[in-house]
Amino acid sequence: MRQFFASPGFHKYFANTSWLLGERILRMIVSLFVGIYVARYLGPERFGLLSYSLSFVFLFSSLASFGLDDILVRELVQRPEQRNNLLGTVFWLKVCGTIVMGFTIAMVLHFKSEDEQTYWMIALITFGFLFQATNVVDFYFQSQVQSKFAVRAQAIQLLISSIFKIYLVFNQAELIWFAFALMLDQAVVALLFLLVYHWKLEWFPFLYFKCSLATQLLKNSWPLIISGMMVSIYMKIDQIMIKEMLDAKAVGIYAAAVKLCEVLYFLPVATMTSLFPAVVESRNKSKTEYNRQVQRIYEMMLGAALIVAIIITFLSSWIVQFLYGLEFQETTAILQIYIWAFVFVSLGVVSSKWLVAENLHKYALIRSVIGVIINISSNWYLIPIYGIKGAALSTLITQIFV
């Protein structure tokens, strides 16, 4: 372990991880308290409707990225001279993916019965994904282990977004405006990413698109597209099923616990986002050292996640009452169950990156399909018996198996 920390380049990756963790911690704190401020204002039922709309769109979100995110980082590390072609091609692939995502959502909604307000919220949130195509800038800086530049843009976006949401609550805005705020988040950070890229390098290469490169990338990414869709389903289908089998208020109670847990997901994601380029490089140099690094990362993730889960379990009642108030008191029991999924999510983040590094995308697909089958079937069985506690148990069971 001492050799790992003393290895060449460690300080570079440590500094990069520090920037990522710093931004995620800031986002965690600000988003948590602003999100709670919004939840307390909206109440369980309206907060449930907003969470339901976001979860519904998230089911199809993997189509917007075409599974190219980690592959783009890998290619930028291995072929830096192809930067413009890679960024321009992936950008337009993501735009096309968002259009496909929008049509898919529209077709599904055609067979569903929702009120007009929910339709508009889903439409606004979906449109926001169009701006996510510019996050290729973030992935470029990740590949260069220079995430501090993207972090600055995201920090500014967080400030603007938070002020706007507080303004909406202060002026007692209608629910639809909070869906608009979610779309605005994506638009602001997209503009800031483009400005940062121009500041550090040049104008973004919008005009670069190579059909042969696009074909090659999609050939590698199609298992990740399906895998991403499966992950989106088993991460969010619980809130959809709660809405259909119970009601919007139950979704709000459940979503409050999910929000607290998902805020913590930044720990494994930020760490692996920073370390992934190093993992790819070490694999090219020494397979033995590469295996050791992966093992150490697994151990670090497991230890950190267990500590977090134990602390949250014992403090859950106080956390919920302090943050959400008595109206959300049922959230405590959900949080005590749901937080343990964090342990297995942390391990899953590491294994997902490892599968990409090893070019074993098909196993990610198989794992995700199994996750969806387990999650939907267990939700279908447990929600009628245990209510929203059944949905939390279903998520935990799914993450254990996956």
Side-chain angles (χ1 to χ4, degrees):
M1 184 67 75
R2 184 177 300 173
Q3 291 179 345
F4 174 66
F5 291 120
S7 62
F10 168 76
H11 294 290
K12 175 184 177 182
Y13 291 105
F14 178 77
N16 193 63
T17 303
S18 298
W19 273 99
L20 286 167
L21 285 175
E23 188 272 337
R24 296 299 171 90
I25 290 171
L26 176 64
R27 182 171 295 274
M28 177 189 72
I29 296 171
V30 175
S31 298
L32 180 63
F33 285 100
V34 172
I36 289 167
Y37 186 52
V38 170
R40 292 180 75 126
Y41 163 69
L42 293 176
E45 185 170 354
R46 290 199 298 167
F47 181 63
L49 284 173
L50 181 64
S51 299
Y52 168 77
S53 301
L54 183 59
S55 296
F56 184 84
V57 174
F58 193 81
L59 289 179
F60 306 92
S61 60
S62 65
L63 294 174
S65 67
F66 268 153
L68 291 167
D69 295 347
D70 288 335
I71 290 176
L72 176 60
V73 174
R74 185 189 70 192
E75 293 299 312
L76 286 168
V77 170
Q78 295 178 344
R79 296 191 287 172
E81 73 282 357
Q82 290 289 316
R83 183 189 72 208
N84 285 342
N85 286 330
L86 285 166
L87 293 179
T89 300
V90 173
F91 171 84
W92 288 112
L93 285 175
K94 281 173 170 278
V95 170
C96 293
T98 305
I99 294 172
V100 172
M101 169 187 166
F103 277 114
T104 304
I105 289 174
M107 286 190 295
V108 173
L109 285 176
H110 181 71
F111 297 99
K112 281 180 61 62
S113 177
E114 302 287 355
D115 60 90
E116 185 177 355
Q117 180 178 238
T118 302
Y119 282 131
W120 276 108
M121 288 196 295
I122 290 173
L124 284 169
I125 295 169
T126 302
F127 184 71
F129 274 81
L130 188 63
F131 298 105
Q132 282 197 5
T134 61
N135 66 7
V136 294
V137 172
D138 184 19
F139 296 118
Y140 167 73
F141 286 119
Q142 286 181 29
S143 72
Q144 301 302 301
V145 200
Q146 295 178 343
S147 292
K148 62 182 180 180
F149 301 116
V151 162
R152 291 169 183 172
Q154 291 167 326
I156 296 172
Q157 173 267 323
L158 176 63
L159 177 64
I160 295 172
S161 171
S162 300
I163 291 173
F164 182 65
K165 289 172 185 175
I166 292 171
Y167 171 81
L168 292 178
V169 174
F170 185 76
N171 286 274
Q172 298 184 326
E174 296 293 326
L175 180 59
I176 189 69
W177 281 101
F178 292 93
F180 176 81
L182 294 173
M183 183 200 73
L184 185 66
D185 289 349
Q186 305 297 339
V188 171
V189 78
L191 176 61
L192 291 170
F193 275 155
L194 294 177
L195 291 175
V196 167
Y197 189 85
H198 176 62
W199 170 49
K200 294 305 300 180
L201 295 164
E202 57 187 353
W203 289 112
F204 186 82
F206 288 109
L207 300 181
Y208 285 77
F209 181 87
K210 293 187 67 175
C211 289
S212 59
L213 181 58
T215 303
Q216 176 190 345
L217 291 171
L218 288 175
K219 184 179 179 181
N220 289 330
S221 72
W222 74 264
L224 294 177
I225 298 174
I226 302 175
S227 175
M229 177 72 79
M230 297 298 105
V231 171
S232 299
I233 290 174
Y234 75 68
M235 288 296 289
K236 293 298 182 181
I237 195 65
D238 46 4
Q239 295 188 43
I240 306 298
M241 295 181 73
I242 290 171
K243 170 69 162 47
E244 299 296 332
M245 301 171 76
L246 300 174
D247 53 37
K249 182 179 179 180
V251 178
I253 296 294
Y254 184 84
V258 173
K259 184 175 182 62
L260 290 174
C261 295
E262 289 185 346
V263 161
L264 298 171
Y265 289 178
F266 82 92
L267 288 168
V269 172
T271 302
M272 284 309 302
T273 294
S274 182
L275 294 179
F276 184 56
V279 171
V280 173
E281 285 185 5
S282 67
R283 185 180 184 277
N284 296 332
K285 295 176 182 178
S286 169
K287 193 64 181 289
T288 301
E289 181 58 27
Y290 161 73
N291 288 331
R292 286 175 184 168
Q293 286 196 20
V294 172
Q295 180 64 33
R296 288 166 187 148
I297 293 170
Y298 267 118
E299 292 167 357
M300 178 178 66
M301 289 291 192
L302 179 60
L306 284 171
I307 292 171
V308 170
I310 291 169
I311 292 173
I312 296 295
T313 299
F314 283 103
L315 297 180
S316 57
S317 179
W318 179 85
I319 291 171
V320 171
Q321 187 172 350
F322 176 75
L323 295 178
Y324 287 107
L326 294 176
E327 201 171 5
F328 285 86
Q329 60 184 346
E330 295 176 67
T331 298
T332 299
I334 310 304
L335 180 59
Q336 290 173 335
I337 300 170
Y338 203 97
I339 188 60
W340 286 95
F342 174 64
V343 175
F344 303 97
V345 168
S346 298
L347 297 177
V349 170
V350 183
S351 64
S352 294
K353 296 290 188 181
W354 177 79
L355 288 170
V356 172
E358 292 289 323
N359 206 25
L360 297 173
H361 307 132
K362 64 180 181 179
Y363 293 107
L365 173 58
I366 294 170
R367 181 174 69 173
S368 300
V369 170
I370 292 172
V372 168
I373 294 171
I374 294 172
N375 191 256
I376 292 177
S377 57
S378 58
N379 268 312
W380 193 268
Y381 177 75
L382 293 172
I383 290 177
I385 299 174
Y386 301 107
I388 51 179
K389 288 183 182 179
L393 284 169
S394 175
T395 297
L396 177 57
I397 293 168
T398 302
Q399 292 295 350
I400 290 171
F401 275 93
V402 169

